[in-house]
Amino acid sequence: MFDMMEYHKMLRENKITLIYSGPLWAEGIGGVAGTVKKRLEFDKLPLEASQEVFSVFVEQMNNMLMYSQETEQFTAPDELHSEAPKGTFIMGTQGKGYFIQTGNVMKTEAVNRVKTRIDHLNTLDKDEVNNYYWEQSLLDNHDPESKGAGLGLIEIARRISSKIEYTFRQYDEHHTFFTMYVLIGGQE
């Protein structure tokens, strides 16, 4: 049996305020988004800081929704069989800022591309990240692996107060578990 008191203590000690692990779908993300908004209201975060945290939350959830390779099968109420990508989301406080950590299974063949993009973003200062964002937003996205405009990681880098931390761990023969950790606010 899982020791809930130890789990609660671990969450409190690590200042984790929200954790979710499971299937992701657009409608379900809306519910988690509402919880994030309420948490930020309870914390009386200034509007600009709240928008930064929420924007990073949205980008990270969209990345998991679009790129997670692990899925959960389910039967919808209308008896249709469907599947949803799976991922893990953790939000908490660190000093005067918030951290968001996400994890999901991705294709191993995409690891070098993602690593290269993050490493490049981590070399840029805030002004350079903003300029890079505007440059990339004007380009047509020719990346066949991208399911969006390819701006998600850049948008995250624009809003965080630290470098993007990440890990890749082999999951199976063709998949890797990707974890990303960012801090919003609390540093200057």
Side-chain angles (χ1 to χ4, degrees), residues 30-181:
V32 178
T35 301
V36 168
K37 281 183 178 180
K38 276 293 179 201
R39 177 79 239 180
L40 299 173
E41 284 176 28
F42 291 151
D43 290 348
K44 296 183 171 113
L45 206 60
L47 181 61
E48 185 177 330
S50 179
Q51 289 172 338
E52 297 283 313
V53 173
F54 193 75
S55 178
V56 171
F57 158 77
V58 168
E59 288 298 337
Q60 286 187 294
M61 292 302 273
N62 281 333
N63 283 342
M64 288 192 300
L65 186 62
M66 290 192 294
Y67 298 110
S68 180
Q69 294 297 301
E70 184 179 28
T71 59
E72 184 170 316
Q73 307 293 319
F74 61 93
T75 301
D78 55 9
E79 299 301 317
L80 295 175
H81 292 287
S82 190
E83 67 180 20
K86 292 177 71 174
T88 300
F89 168 84
I90 301 171
M91 184 176 97
T93 59
Q94 182 177 326
K96 294 182 180 182
Y98 286 79
F99 69 84
I100 296 177
Q101 184 167 356
T102 55
N104 62 277
V105 175
M106 62 183 283
K107 293 179 183 177
T108 298
E109 66 192 43
V111 167
N112 285 335
R113 182 173 39 85
V114 172
K115 181 182 182 327
T116 299
R117 290 190 78 195
I118 293 173
D119 288 346
H120 173 70
L121 290 169
N122 281 341
T123 67
L124 305 177
D125 65 26
K126 282 293 182 197
D127 289 335
E128 292 170 328
V129 170
N130 285 325
N131 289 336
Y132 185 61
Y133 176 85
W134 293 112
E135 289 169 10
Q136 295 301 304
S137 69
L138 297 174
L139 298 176
D140 287 333
N141 183 14
H142 298 292
D143 183 353
E145 293 297 314
S146 179
K147 297 178 184 175
L151 299 174
L153 287 173
I154 305 170
E155 181 64 25
I156 290 169
R158 291 176 68 202
R159 299 187 178 273
I160 61 177
S161 53
S162 64
K163 300 298 182 188
I164 298 172
E165 296 179 39
Y166 63 89
T167 60
F168 296 102
R169 287 198 172 153
Q170 197 66 39
Y171 187 75
D172 63 26
E173 186 178 350
H174 302 288
H175 298 96
T176 297
F177 194 83
F178 170 54
T179 302
M180 182 169 39
Y181 176 94

